[in-house]
Amino acid sequence: MIQYAIETPPVVALPVAGQDALFPVRRIYCIGRNYAAHAIEMGHDPDREDPFFFQKNPDNLDPSGTFPYPPKTSDVHHEAEMLVALKSGERNISVDTALDHVFGYGLALDMTRRDLQGIAKKAGRPWEIGKAFEHSAPCGPVHPVSEVGHLSAGRVELKVNGEVRQEGDLNQMIWKVPEMISYLSEYFELAPGDVILSGTPSGVGPVAKGDTLDLSIEGLGSLTVSVI
Ligand code: MN
């Protein structure tokens, strides 16, 4: 029996729709600027360049339905995204076989301290301070592929207090799910429990305490998150 020198941190795990078993999370990879309209709104060229990724921490995922407004910021933005949960992985996965590694899909928000991210960008510093803070990835349950199939199209919508702020379609993603998996696997060894956030459509903007965020993706239902 292994003994640990300190208290062991809990395994981060997400609920699975329709099952008692949980989905254990190993890593989170997030793609940047994966919708042309969002790249443009952030001041970038929407041409298809190589994708780029940043990471959040597994314990940033929060399926509780609440988002505590984080410290040291006055400009926290919502980014509506699809979560892709992997059941297996390896190096150098081909685009053709990439979907074989997907366990399921879900809804997630890539909450961002935009002011701190902006400072980091300008200074050429890493993005973690803007992206990888506690509760920064509110999410819903994972819907198994056996229930929902693979999603390559479908309306993405985020409402704030009932008003539509973000809308797009999964078919507008510059890098499709199989391409993201394949690309990532050239740089990292993917493994069971890895999660990918697939980027956000245009319309990102600030949230405030008391706001209610309603995210929906056609085929995956909806997720309500209260900013507290
Ligand atoms: Mn994002």
Side-chain angles (χ1 to χ4, degrees):
M1 168 123 177
I2 298 170
Q3 291 198 336
Y4 295 99
I6 61 163
E7 194 180 329
T8 55
V11 173
V12 175
L14 298 178
V16 176
Q19 295 183 16
D20 291 333
L22 301 175
F23 179 87
V25 179
R26 190 183 80 119
R27 294 183 185 169
I28 307 173
Y29 297 99
C30 306
I31 190 169
R33 293 172 213 148
N34 202 25
Y35 286 75
H38 173 61
I40 291 168
E41 77 178 347
M42 298 302 289
H44 299 281
D45 189 330
D47 285 351
R48 182 167 157 127
E49 303 168 325
D50 276 357
F52 71 92
F53 293 84
F54 59 90
Q55 284 176 269
K56 291 194 183 232
N57 301 299
D59 66 351
N60 297 157
L61 288 163
D62 185 348
S64 72
T66 57
F67 173 71
Y69 200 92
K72 307 296 271 184
T73 178
S74 57
D75 192 26
V76 176
H77 279 202
H78 52 75
E79 295 191 1
E81 314 218 352
M82 184 169 73
L83 180 153
V84 183
L86 301 188
K87 65 182 176 189
S88 56
E90 56 189 328
R91 290 184 194 277
N92 299 320
I93 297 168
S94 69
V95 171
D96 290 348
T97 61
L99 291 182
D100 297 345
H101 297 283
V102 177
F103 171 76
Y105 299 91
L107 304 171
L109 292 166
D110 168 16
M111 301 303 292
T112 303
R113 291 193 282 214
R114 193 71 77 203
D115 42 4
L116 301 188
Q117 185 200 23
I119 292 167
K121 277 183 184 175
K122 258 190 208 140
R125 291 179 188 153
W127 285 12
E128 281 87 350
I129 201 164
K131 289 287 196 179
F133 53 93
E134 286 73 29
H135 312 286
S136 63
C139 64
V142 179
H143 298 269
V145 168
S146 55
E147 301 294 321
V148 298
H150 290 289
L151 286 90
S152 56
R155 180 176 165 79
V156 180
E157 183 184 87
L158 181 85
K159 290 181 188 168
V160 179
N161 303 326
E163 189 180 310
V164 176
R165 293 278 181 83
Q166 289 193 260
E167 46 189 334
D169 194 290
L170 295 175
N171 66 15
Q172 297 166 337
M173 290 195 293
I174 297 169
W175 293 89
K176 312 301 184 194
V177 172
E179 294 172 322
M180 283 190 268
I181 292 170
S182 177
Y183 188 92
L184 274 169
S185 75
E186 293 175 14
Y187 292 87
F188 302 99
E189 185 167 350
L190 298 180
D194 287 350
V195 161
I196 300 169
L197 298 191
S198 66
T200 196
S202 62
V204 300
V207 303
K209 274 184 199 173
D211 283 349
T212 300
L213 313 180
D214 287 299
L215 169 61
S216 62
I217 296 180
E218 198 180 338
L220 294 177
S222 60
L223 168 70
T224 299
V225 175
S226 304
V227 182
I228 59 173

